[in-house]
Amino acid sequence: MSGGEQKPERYYVGVDVGTGSVRAALVDQSGVLLAFADQPIKKWEPQFNHHEQSSEDIWAACCVVTKKVVQGIDLNQIRGLGFDATCSLVVLDKRFRPLPVNHEEDSHRNVIMWLDHRAVSQVNRINETKHSVLQYVGGVMSVEMQAPKLLWLKENLRETCWDKAGHFFDLPDFLSWKATGVTARSLCSLVCKWTYSAERGWDDSFWKMIGLEDFVADNYSKIGNQVLPPGVSLGNGLTPEAARDLGLLPGIAVAASLIDAHAGGLGVIGADVKGHGLVCEGQPVTSRLAVICGTSSCHMGIDHMVEGHAAFPELQVKATARCQSVYAYLNSHLDLIKKAQPVGFLTVDLHVWPDFHGNRSPLADLTLKGMVTGLKLSQDLDDLAILYLATVQAIALGTRFIIEAMEAAGHSISTLFLCGGLSKNPLFVQMHADITGMPVVLSQEVESVLVGAAILGACASGDFASVQEAMAKMSKVGKVVFPRLQDKKYYDKKYQVFLKLVEHQKEYLAIMNDN
């Protein structure tokens, strides 16, 4: 500002609860990340396919990281707070105390994690109903959604959990309640994971049909009968107790929350792309697809393939000697062994289907398993590097599979916007461009999920007129990676093999299950 005093800077705090850690960032009005902190959180796996966490442990970690990122800042300049989290299920009693979600009756473990697959029988029965709400979740409900988990609790922990329960929260909504005392739910969580409809609300007939008529009888008070769009300011803002916990001032605006992947989309997809030669410039935002490359989409599969290989100890030693991550070392090793051919061609006879924990999208088939075809007796570092490459390609081929399903349903996608941990991996990014045939936009701020959470806080503060305005001002293009079109024929063939893998798997599963 010329000829007058400059306005004081305005800041926003974004808190992101992932699978293994809580992260926080202090972000300014331009979307620049000024401070970052992270804190690990506990996980339990008491038996196969049962994955649990503690809401108290998660909140404590939120407090640690928030206090760190606001150190040395005038707290009066912090205008808003936004939360995002995984779609895990938090269970509290009528007095908001944790209830056990396990047979051990350990109430500290009161969160069923998003990746928990205990409710297989329940989801199968839900899908057998063919209820009309299923059309809004891709036709088939995933075992990772909340309805089957709720039904599991009713059928397996009736006395110790179900009958005592007063509140079932999606984790993002638990965090906003903890901060404000407001039990309103985010439209994001309820639509994506709970079968709520923005137009029609809850469908009584669905809950009655699957055996959870309890919710209808109490007017859905346990799972949410006040529903707000993400970014709306909740109640009177931060409560005095939560303010003390977080190291902030009471009354700071707190936003209705988002699922973690959606926060990543918010932090990257609205960027102004003028001057980058992209087809999506001037087109509706629906021509853009945000790909959030976090734990659920890729890390677990790649880690599983790399860490389980006989050459992994050698890889660790060599990467450490170079002060590199194992993935940076593998990328450079691939460049050494590719010779004159494009690096992607190293997998001409090695193919991976990456659904080691079932398929979420577009098939929603929890019975699917990982597959590798083309294995040799070799177990050296070259072999590990090529297997890693094939796994990265498989994840990108899975993205192409999702895009084609979306386009068959009427969507028109022209550009990918990547964020999350693996968007920092240049091989992962280039493979997505080459295999989908689409340009990939990377955000200026690599921590786009945290920027998205901060955008929620900025909206709640009233500093922006809309979520769209905040996105345009706070998300920036950092780099655009274009597909190498000369390799298109090769990746089209890889994709044909990819689709054959799942066809064969379904065929042999049918044979083995034939009585």
Side-chain angles (χ1 to χ4, degrees), residues 75-76 78 179 236-244 247-254:
L75 296 182
N76 290 293
I78 298 174
N236 297 314
L238 205 58
T239 64
E241 181 183 1
R244 285 193 300 273
L248 299 171
L249 297 180
I252 287 174
V254 179

Side-chain angles (χ1 to χ4, degrees), residues 50-158:
H50 289 231
H51 298 268
E52 298 165 6
Q53 288 181 314
S54 160
S55 64
E56 291 180 342
D57 177 59
I58 290 168
W59 179 251
C62 291
C63 298
V64 169
V65 293
T66 303
K67 285 176 179 175
K68 284 182 179 178
V69 298
V70 300
Q71 279 183 341
I73 297 294
D74 179 355
L75 296 182
N76 290 293
Q77 292 178 267
I78 298 174
R79 300 272 298 160
L81 171 64
F83 292 99
D84 73 77
T86 63
C87 301
S88 299
L89 178 65
V90 183
V91 186
L92 306 177
D93 69 12
K94 295 171 180 65
R95 294 169 60 187
F96 296 95
R97 297 174 303 189
L99 284 172
V101 295
N102 47 75
H103 292 294
E104 295 82 9
E105 299 184 27
D106 180 356
S107 59
H108 187 63
R109 289 155 37 205
N110 69 316
V111 179
I112 299 180
M113 291 180 68
W114 65 269
L115 51 70
D116 185 287
H117 282 193
R118 69 182 68 184
V120 172
S121 168
Q122 288 75 16
V123 80
N124 287 339
R125 280 179 273 141
I126 290 170
N127 285 326
E128 285 168 4
T129 69
K130 307 290 185 185
H131 194 282
S132 59
V133 301
L134 298 178
Q135 68 183 301
Y136 300 109
V137 294
V140 180
M141 183 173 284
S142 164
V143 70
E144 294 174 5
M145 293 183 69
Q146 307 300 19
K149 292 173 181 174
L150 291 163
L151 188 55
W152 186 93
L153 290 173
K154 182 175 181 179
E155 293 178 349
N156 291 273
L157 300 177
R158 185 76 183 243

Side-chain angles (χ1 to χ4, degrees), residues 210-286:
I210 69 170
L212 293 178
E213 63 283 344
D214 322 45
F215 295 140
V216 182
D218 70 6
N219 194 31
Y220 300 99
S221 64
K222 291 182 180 179
I223 61 173
N225 52 22
Q226 183 188 5
V227 186
L228 298 172
V232 169
S233 183
L234 294 171
N236 297 314
L238 205 58
T239 64
E241 181 183 1
R244 285 193 300 273
D245 288 347
L246 294 164
L248 299 171
L249 297 180
I252 287 174
V254 179
S257 59
L258 275 175
I259 296 167
D260 53 352
H262 294 238
L266 196 65
V268 68
I269 206 167
D272 183 351
V273 298
K274 286 178 184 171
H276 291 279
L278 294 169
V279 178
C280 67
E281 182 179 338
Q283 298 299 309
V285 73
T286 49

